[in-house]
Structure formats: C-alpha cells, structure tokens
Amino acid sequence: MPTPLKILVPVKRVIDYAVKPRVNKARTAVETSGVKHSMNPFDELSIEAAVRMRESKNPPVDDILALSAGPAKCVDVLRTAMAMGADRSIHVEIPDAGQGQAELEPLGVAKLLAKVVADEGRNLVILGKQSIDDDSSQTGQMLAGLLGWGQATQASKIEIDDSDRVTVTREVDGGVETVRFPLPGIITTDLRLNEPRYASLPNIMKAKKKKLEKKSLSDYGVDERRRLKTVKVEEPPPRKGGGKVEDVDGLIAKLKELGAI
Amino acid sequence: MLLTIRHYAFRQAQCYLRPSKTSNRQQLSAFARLLSSLAVLEQREGKLQSASLSAVTAAQKLGGSITGFIAGSGIRSVVEEAAKVEGVEKIVMVENSAYDKALPESYAPLLAENIKKEGFTHVFAGHSAFGKNLMPRVSALLDVQQISDITAIKGEDTFVRPTYAGNAILTVQSSDKIKIITIRGTAFATAEAEGGSAEITEGVDPKVEIETEWLSEDLAKSNRPDLATASKVVSGGRGLKSKEDFDRIIPPLADALGAAIGASRAAVDSGFADNSLQVGQTGKNVAPQLYLCAGISGAIQHLAGMKDSKVIAAINKDADAPIFQVADVGLIGNLFDKVPELTEKLKQ
C-alpha cells in the first residue's frame, strides 16, 4: 500500500513578474509599496503539481498545506493557493517584511519549513526552483539538507510509484536527467513541469472558507537574524540602444564597425 | 627656485605616500594570507568541465590561497589537468564512483566535511545546474547563508549579485564565518589552464549512504559552441512561428557565424527549441561578444539573461519591440527574408 501524501507547498508573495522593479531613492531596496504583487510563478507550478497528485489519486493525497512567511498581505497568495486546490494554509506573519530588512533569508525560511514539516507530519515538500525577486535558488536544497531528505531540483516531470518512490526528471545544463528517491523528499519545480490552472470564481469563494492559521516566527523558535546585510541596491547601468539600420548590408557594416564580426 | 620648491614638495609627498603604501600592502598581504578558498570543480565522465574554472578566477580576485576540489571515479587525469591551472596551490581529490553524478545527498556531506577539515574561509562554485543543486545543501549543513550568482567581489565579505531578473544589483556583506558563494560564469573568465603546479592530496570521504539513485540522462548533442560560454550567440523567439522554421533559419546563421544557438522562453514553450537553449532569468545567462536575435520581443525575463552581451543585434518586424531599446543595432523587417539574406551575405 502506498503511503498517503501529506504535502507542504511553501508560496512566496513577490512583485508581479510583468512589473519592471524600481530601486528606491535611498538605494536601500526595491520599491514595493503600491506595486502589484502576486504569487511567485514557480510556486504556482508547485501548487498545481500537488493538486494534480491528488487528482491522480495514486498515491492518495491526505492533504495539501500551503504556507507563506511574510507581511499581512501574504494572505492573498495563500487564498490563491487554496482557490487552486490547497486544503488549508499557515501564514507565518513577519511584521514589516518586504522592506528588505525584515524578510527572512533562504536559510531562515528553510529552518522554519523544517519545523513545520515536523509539526505537521509532512512527507513531501514541493517548492518553486527560485523566487523571481531574490533569484537565490536555495530554499528547497537547504531544507533537504536540514532534514536529510532526498532532493530533486528543477523538476519537469514527477511520478510516484506504489512503493513510495519518487522519480523525477530534472532540467540540467544541456538536457535532462532522471533521479529516484524514496519518500519523504523535496522537489523544486521548473517551468516545464505543468501549466498552472486559473482559480475559478466558485473556487475563490470556497477558498475563503478554508482554514488559514496565523503563526509567528517565535511559535516555531526560528531566529530571524540576517546573515547578509544589504550594503546598497543599484539599478543596472542602462544600455544605450544604438541606432537602427535600413537593411542587411547596413546591419553587417554596423556589426563590423562594432567589432562583433 | 620654483623648481626646487616643487621638487621639495614632491619629495615631501613621496615621504608621506611611501610608508603608507608599504604598510597598506603589508596589511593586504597579511589579510590575503588568512584567506583560503576552495574552488569546487565539476567533472563529468573523467572530463574537467572547463566552465567550473571560473570558480578559480573568482578565488584569484579575492586573493589568498586556492585549493581545487574534485570527486568521482577515474579522475586522475582530471586532477592532473586541474593541478596545472594557474593559481591553484593544492587539489583535494576524493576518488569514489559514488560521486560521479554529484548527487547532493552524498556530495554535500562530502564537501562539508572537507571544508570543515581544511578550514576554508571561502568556497566558490559555478551557479550552474551542478552548483545550484549542490551548494545550498552544503550551506545548510554548515549553517551558512549562501550568496548566489555573484558578478563581482568587493572585499573579503562583500559581494555583488543581480536580483529581480537583473533589474536590481545588490551589494551584500556576509557575517558568516565561511562564505559559500556561487558565481555567474559570464562574470568571471575561465582560469588559465597552464602555469600552475598544485600539490595533489586526498580528501576525507565520509561515505554517506544514500537512497537516491541516478537513473538516466538525456543530453542534447551538439557540435556547436556551448551556449553559456560561446563568444557569439544566435537566438530565436516566437517570431519563428514553428520548429521547422526555427531549424531552417536559425542554425545556418549560427553556423555562418560560428555561434551557439539560444532561444526565448516562448520558442522553448512552443517546442521550437530544446529547453536547454533557453536564455533568460530561468534559463541560461549569456554574455557573448555578439548576441544576435530574431523574432524576440525582449521581455524583462529574457533581457535578464543576455543584457550583459557586448553587442546586441536584433531583427524584428515590430519597430516598438522592447528589444530595440537595448540593441546596439536593430533591423526592422521580416525575419523570414532578412535572416536568410544575412546568412548568405555572411558566407560570402
């Protein structure tokens, strides 16, 4: 008999992927107030992967728990996760997060998640491969290290067989590779894994009734001290777009002039 | 008279400058002696992945002693090759087939043990699939907050890294005892393959038993230059319309230029090109001499992966496409006419 899955899906609220971020005047952080935020795109893939596991019924899924750590507004992304199919959520509130300094670093998040995994008896954690704000690509791997579990990062295909073995096809430089580990384990999702569903209006309404627990870092005994101090934040030097050319000959001439060919 | 005064002033200035200069240098070298870096070198099937030598270059920029780390089976020749790399003083090798596929479950404890044993202050690895998969697990084992994908080193504890798809450049200062760092390959050249003569030593092997198995791989075969390190890249996007058109139009141009082939996410998602060719925030970062793209609009996620290219050239039929804001040279036109014409003219 396959072991029922108890899935944890951590989700992060980030500046929407279509918004061009601006550095604030003090050069201490990226301007976040009044900017559209949404769920980190890779985390949508994680929720989708968890919901599809439940729909396939093999192995059975006991429950899908979504979690977000951050300011009060993280509740929005948790509601979205529940509208997509997560059963319940935990919001670990970090006051003033989002201004750059109070936000947890990947190591802090991994430590928090390790506690949640133990508390909630999880046997599978599905995370996005990176958040599109910090671009660190660390949390899933760190969590796997802290728990001593198997890991498969950048997953483009996931299968779980009757003997609790997870087979994952991973995107690597130059192609794909396939690894297998027994549960419990950690998976991080890559773009090609699936096409996340849109939350339907009835499901959005239902999500409002789903359980959302409020917690704090001290409930989990996680130290929020940052190891990395932001010295400054700058906009990248702007590229000056060059002129346009009329035809292919002009293009070749310009490339020669620039020493590119 | 004036001359004498000037001469005197000059000598005075020299007196002030000289001692401070010397003490400064002494301080620096004393400082550098305390730094000891480990460059984690990737090998596949007994071949050194030359891109991982960027980790040595990063360590050279920091100063201090540099040790290379290699693990796997049949690595003798790789180790000897790495021992010749300029600037490397020592190679730590662990010969064990358990590490051939660099599964983080066993490779991370292996690295952590060797880092602890030798007391390295800095550990550098490439921000490649290998480094991304492995290093955060090592960091967690050592209780260190890793610094990912750095593009510059400002000091012993201060590093520069792009965030928000390259739209915000962060300078961060680490308070961790060990700095674990992955580096952006395009920001650090590959170290010179000759000129060094490193001592070769055996590392510790914790031989951690793991349940993860490596099953198979399917790597795209290509005779073209490697995308991440190519000096020229020709890239196609959604504007190519189909895989047939992509294959008909892009490779001949790439061959005419001796370039690697890249693609936008739209082209990859539509099945025009293999996933491993994706350039952008979630694909590869490239910074070639020439990035020539056709049928790519220039979304911020794509720009994140190529805007450090020396020269960007774009062919697009939409004059308002954002790609023209960053392109050094832009040609407005139908790529189905312009690209074959360009290919023909380059061949002549």
Side-chain angles (χ1 to χ4, degrees), chain A residues 133 138 153 171 227 234 239, chain B residues 133 145 169 176 275 309:
Chain A
D133 51 1
Q138 297 174 357
T153 55
E171 304 228 335
R227 312 288 186 85
E234 295 163 296
R239 273 192 89 97
Chain B
N133 196 27
Q145 174 53 53
I169 311 298
D176 279 317
N275 297 350
S309 305

Side-chain angles (χ1 to χ4, degrees), chain B residues 252-316:
Chain B
L253 177 59
D255 292 341
L257 284 164
I261 294 179
S264 69
R265 180 182 169 190
V268 171
D269 281 352
S270 310
F272 303 175
D274 190 78
N275 297 350
S276 60
L277 301 186
Q278 186 179 320
V279 171
Q281 183 182 20
T282 61
K284 289 214 170 57
N285 281 296
V286 300
Q289 293 292 313
L290 172 63
Y291 188 83
L292 204 170
C293 59
I296 289 180
S297 64
I300 50 177
Q301 292 80 13
H302 187 75
L303 299 183
M306 47 64 86
K307 67 182 171 189
D308 294 327
S309 305
K310 194 110 189 285
V311 173
I312 297 172
I315 299 174
N316 203 302

